[in-house]
């Protein structure tokens, strides 16, 4: 189990987002949805330890399940994309998938293929439970509601960036064609205009705990108030290591010698991860968000890498 904070020790964003949060959610995804709320509400340390152990086991099961399902989904995606530009909206599906994990799959597919994506878990009766994730500029919720009005799905709904559907397998081909017809132009334009908004430039030398504390005062951050994104121009990749479930731990060094540790989460098998690995020892422009990482009682600045680019030759 990943290290958790000691009693009285402040919780870093890493602990909440990547250690505690997934374990609390694991019960709802593949087990008992009440476990997370019971853990948060109990005052009994014995009961808390017992529930935490069950959630940790469920999270490990969910990770193994997700790893297998993602490999299958990516194989389907790569087969689709091998034929020219591939589909406007990617749909991966299987009768062997757990419906509690399809949202995670859809998110990974969207990130890896840079297009809206659905993952659908079909039962033996041919009824599929699906989850979709979109890219900026493509309203997936509106698309799903139109599909429901056209009688192509049993039900569905959502918002611009995420949606859920229930669909019969016999209508899956028609649904693919509908998405292609209705969303083709919007997806093409969104991909052409795809950009990463950067709020400022920074070097490893300036990524201090004092700056991070100041940024945290402007929070909390969310969909309507995103966390600031910084560009770190021309930073050398001095070390890259795969840790955990496909994450990359990256060491950065500025031209003036400043050093900063960074993480590219779930990036090992992505284009971003491959770019970072292939440029070990060389310099890249790096973009990401700043946070504090606490480990063994020591707190240090850490960059969460979102994107990277090869500097143009001077």
């Amino acid at each position: 189990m990943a290290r958790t904070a000691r009693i009285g020790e402040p919780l870093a964003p890493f602990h909440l987002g990547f250690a505690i949060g997934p374990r609390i959610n694991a019960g709802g995804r593949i087990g008992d949805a009440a476990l997370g709320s019971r853990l948060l509400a109990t005052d009994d340390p014995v009961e808390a330890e017992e529930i935490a152990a069950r959630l940790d086991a469920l999270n490990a099961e969910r990770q193994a399940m997700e790893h297998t399902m993602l490999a299958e989904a990516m194989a389907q995606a790569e087969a689709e994309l091998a034929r020219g530009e591939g589909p406007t909206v990617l749909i991966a599906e299987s009768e062997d998938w757990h419906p509690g994990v399809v949202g995670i799959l859809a998110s990974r597919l969207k990130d890896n293929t840079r297009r809206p994506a659905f993952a659908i878990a079909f039962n033996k009766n041919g009824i599929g439970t699906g989850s979709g994730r979109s890219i900026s500029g493509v309203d997936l919720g509106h698309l799903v509601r139109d599909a429901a009005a056209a009688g192509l799905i049993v039900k569905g709904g959502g918002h611009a960036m995420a949606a859920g559907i229930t669909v019969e397998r016999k209508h899956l081909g028609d649904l693919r064609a509908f998405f292609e017809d209705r969303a083709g132009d919007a997806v093409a334009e969104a991909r052409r205009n795809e950009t990463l908004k950067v709020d400022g430039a920074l070097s490893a030398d300036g990524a201090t705990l004092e700056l991070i504390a100041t940024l945290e005062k402007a929070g909390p951050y969310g969909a309507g108030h995103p966390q600031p994104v910084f560009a770190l121009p021309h930073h050398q990749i001095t070390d890259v290591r795969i840790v955990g479930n496909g994450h990359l731990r990256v060491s950065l060094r500025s031209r003036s010698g400043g050093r900063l540790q960074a993480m590219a989460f779930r990036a090992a098998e992505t284009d971003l991860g491959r770019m970072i690995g292939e440029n070990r020892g060389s310099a890249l422009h790096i973009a990401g968000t700043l946070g504090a990482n606490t480990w063994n009682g020591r707190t240090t600045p850490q960059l969460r890498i979102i994107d990277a680019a090869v500097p143009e030759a001077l």
Side-chain angles (χ1 to χ4, degrees):
M1 181 175 180
R3 190 190 78 85
T4 55
R6 300 180 182 91
I7 294 175
E9 179 183 346
L11 285 174
F14 176 85
H15 291 116
L16 293 172
F18 292 92
I20 295 176
R23 285 165 172 78
I24 291 176
N25 288 338
R29 291 190 186 280
I30 63 172
D32 181 355
L35 287 174
S37 60
R38 285 174 54 199
L39 176 63
L40 295 174
T42 186
D43 293 325
D44 184 342
V46 175
E47 182 185 24
E49 185 73 25
E50 194 175 281
I51 296 174
R54 290 175 62 190
L55 285 172
D56 187 52
L58 283 171
N59 189 58
E61 182 182 346
R62 188 272 305 167
Q63 287 178 325
M65 187 183 298
E66 178 189 332
H67 181 77
T68 300
M69 290 168 58
L70 182 58
E72 294 173 356
M74 284 306 302
Q76 292 184 36
E78 288 167 4
E80 292 278 356
L81 296 173
R83 299 193 288 268
E85 283 294 313
T88 291
V89 178
L90 185 66
I91 298 178
E93 50 85 13
S94 175
E95 289 187 1
D96 298 322
W97 292 351
H98 193 293
V101 188
V102 291
I104 298 173
L105 287 189
S107 180
R108 303 285 190 275
L109 289 170
K110 181 265 297 183
D111 290 342
N112 288 335
T113 64
R114 296 174 47 247
R115 69 192 66 211
F118 280 88
I120 305 174
F122 280 99
N123 63 24
K124 301 303 180 183
N125 297 319
I127 303 297
T129 299
S131 186
R133 297 292 183 271
S134 194
I135 58 176
S136 180
V138 181
D139 190 334
L140 201 62
H142 189 273
L143 189 63
V144 163
R145 288 190 291 274
D146 284 350
L152 297 175
I153 59 176
V154 177
K155 60 180 180 179
H159 53 80
M161 301 304 290
I165 61 172
T166 301
V167 59
E168 295 179 83
R169 180 177 284 284
K170 64 183 180 181
H171 289 147
L172 190 57
D174 291 336
L175 182 63
R176 291 179 191 269
F178 178 86
F179 284 161
E180 196 71 29
D181 180 60
R182 293 295 183 92
D185 292 342
V187 172
E189 183 177 358
R191 297 188 68 199
R192 278 196 304 269
N193 298 327
E194 187 178 23
T195 58
L196 175 65
K197 181 181 178 183
V198 173
D199 297 286
L202 190 68
S203 74
D205 315 65
T208 64
L209 291 176
E210 290 75 17
L211 173 60
I212 292 167
T214 300
L215 293 172
E216 288 179 349
K217 290 178 182 177
Y221 300 106
H225 182 47
Q227 190 172 359
V229 175
F230 292 96
L232 280 72
H234 212 279
H235 276 58
Q236 185 183 21
I237 310 297
T238 60
D239 191 37
V240 183
R241 300 184 184 185
I242 298 177
V243 297
N245 189 24
H247 311 311
L248 293 183
R249 179 183 290 135
V250 183
S251 298
L252 303 174
R253 183 170 63 197
S254 70
R255 284 176 163 176
S256 60
R259 295 178 180 273
L260 178 64
Q261 290 298 309
M263 292 291 295
F265 291 103
R266 308 185 188 93
E269 299 299 325
T270 67
D271 290 341
L272 172 62
R274 284 186 282 272
M275 175 186 287
I276 293 171
E278 290 168 0
N279 283 277
R280 180 173 178 170
S282 301
L284 290 175
H285 298 324
I286 302 291
T289 58
L290 280 177
N293 180 48
T294 300
W295 181 254
N296 287 338
R298 183 168 176 258
T299 301
T300 57
Q302 179 175 275
L303 182 78
R304 181 181 179 187
I305 297 176
I306 298 173
D307 205 353
V310 177
E312 294 183 4
L314 298 177

